[in-house]
Amino acid sequence: MKTYICVAHAGGQGKTTVAQLLFRNILRKNSKYNLVSADFVDDTGRSKIGKFYPDQVDELGTGARLIAAKLENDPNAALRYWDKFGTILMRGSAVIDVGANVVSLLKQWAHHRSAFRVLQMSNAPPSEILLVCKAEKHAIEDVAELVSTIADNKFIPYEHVTVVLNEVGGSFGRIDVRSVIKEAAPDASVRFVSLPRCTSELWTQLEQTNTPIDRALEMSDREISETFGTDIWSATAGLADLKSWVTSVDKEWKNAGIFK
């Protein structure tokens, strides 16, 4: 089964939200999918998405510490650290949330471990790569650079590359994202999908309490009111808006071919 990899070249682009939406949709059809995070882990031992799904996330962290390489007297210790990432790709059936500070490390690992060739040789299941960006010049340029790297076979084999245009910070409007990416990677085949801003009154509470989107959708209006300490009017309207938003995103992504 496919591996879905959510990537952003900077923090705050919305990749964890994208990973949640992917995991929710896929899990309804295949309960054997795993959730993996290659991202910063704080003192609780959990990454950002790990806080949304406690004890359900395989936490890879951000790489081997420098002291590990010194103790082992092995300069390749940091590379070997990411072999587990490669093993997950070989197995498939995972949604991987890749932190911004990890992207460059994975690119180095893929290059030195000949990941593209090894994964092809091993008949690894295909990967779907989703690159997330907001309507910001530097974010779009970063995504274009990632597309260029992937298209040049410097990363891993993939079936599709999808750019998720996250409108949380505003509309892309006159920003010609396609042209920027086309200039950076003229031969790359890229799909584009939108992630509209969620206007539900519940969104802030979901973020602050690390409540997964799928969990909120399973709750009743009264459960929402009691859980988040809001009145029934806000709870009812907020839940209706959240359901409408998720339905619209699911529909667009399904039409784009992300979901079968």
Side-chain angles (χ1 to χ4, degrees):
M1 301 296 291
K2 290 182 180 180
T3 300
Y4 291 83
I5 305 173
C6 303
V7 185
H9 216 306
Q13 296 300 309
K15 65 178 176 49
T16 300
T17 298
V18 170
Q20 281 194 67
L21 291 167
L22 282 170
F23 191 57
R24 168 195 166 273
N25 199 293
I26 295 167
L27 214 56
R28 290 186 298 171
K29 302 171 183 138
N30 189 329
S31 61
K32 295 182 179 179
Y33 258 76
N34 298 311
L35 193 54
V36 180
S37 175
D39 203 351
F40 172 76
V41 175
D42 65 14
D43 293 339
T44 68
R46 293 181 178 134
S47 60
K48 181 177 179 180
I49 198 165
K51 292 177 182 178
F52 282 91
Y53 297 91
D55 305 319
Q56 294 185 50
V57 177
D58 186 358
E59 301 280 11
L60 298 185
T62 57
R65 295 180 179 178
L66 181 60
I67 192 171
K70 290 182 177 179
L71 289 175
E72 295 179 34
N73 194 27
D74 183 358
N76 292 318
L79 289 175
R80 284 203 314 277
Y81 180 96
W82 290 113
D83 288 347
K84 186 175 180 180
F85 176 83
T87 300
I88 291 170
L89 296 182
M90 285 186 179
R91 183 178 66 234
S93 298
V95 175
I96 309 178
D97 185 353
V98 177
N101 55 337
V102 175
V103 175
S104 61
L105 299 176
L106 288 178
K107 286 162 64 176
Q108 292 173 26
W109 167 83
H111 172 71
H112 290 287
R113 289 306 216 198
S114 302
F116 196 97
R117 181 175 61 84
V118 172
L119 290 168
Q120 278 192 326
M121 184 175 59
S122 303
N123 294 316
S127 292
E128 293 279 349
I129 302 177
L130 291 93
L131 310 176
V132 189
C133 70
K134 295 195 293 189
E136 301 167 344
K137 183 175 183 292
H138 69 85
I140 295 167
E141 290 173 347
D142 287 342
V143 163
E145 180 186 342
L146 281 173
V147 172
S148 177
T149 296
I150 293 166
D152 287 345
N153 294 344
K154 295 178 181 177
F155 193 39
I156 59 173
Y158 63 89
E159 188 166 37
H160 298 102
V161 174
T162 303
V163 173
V164 181
L165 304 175
N166 186 2
E167 298 175 349
V168 66
S171 171
F172 283 76
R174 298 179 181 177
I175 303 175
D176 194 349
V177 182
R178 290 167 175 79
S179 293
V180 174
I181 292 176
K182 188 71 175 176
E183 183 177 351
D187 298 324
S189 177
V190 182
R191 301 186 301 197
F192 294 86
V193 295
S194 297
L195 180 62
R197 177 174 177 265
C198 181
T199 58
S200 169
E201 295 178 58
L202 303 178
W203 189 256
T204 299
Q205 287 95 329
L206 297 182
E207 289 281 293
Q208 291 178 346
T209 60
N210 298 316
T211 301
I213 295 168
D214 52 358
R215 169 66 184 126
L217 294 174
E218 294 171 352
M219 299 167 72
S220 67
D221 298 355
R222 190 156 298 281
E223 285 178 308
I224 289 288
S225 177
E226 293 173 353
T227 299
F228 299 123
T230 187
D231 61 76
I232 192 64
W233 307 106
S234 295
T236 301
L239 185 56
D241 287 344
L242 183 65
K243 288 179 177 178
S244 177
W245 175 72
V246 170
T247 298
S248 67
V249 172
D250 282 353
K251 182 178 180 181
E252 178 175 349
W253 291 12
K254 184 176 181 179
N255 290 339
I258 298 174
F259 304 131
K260 301 298 183 183

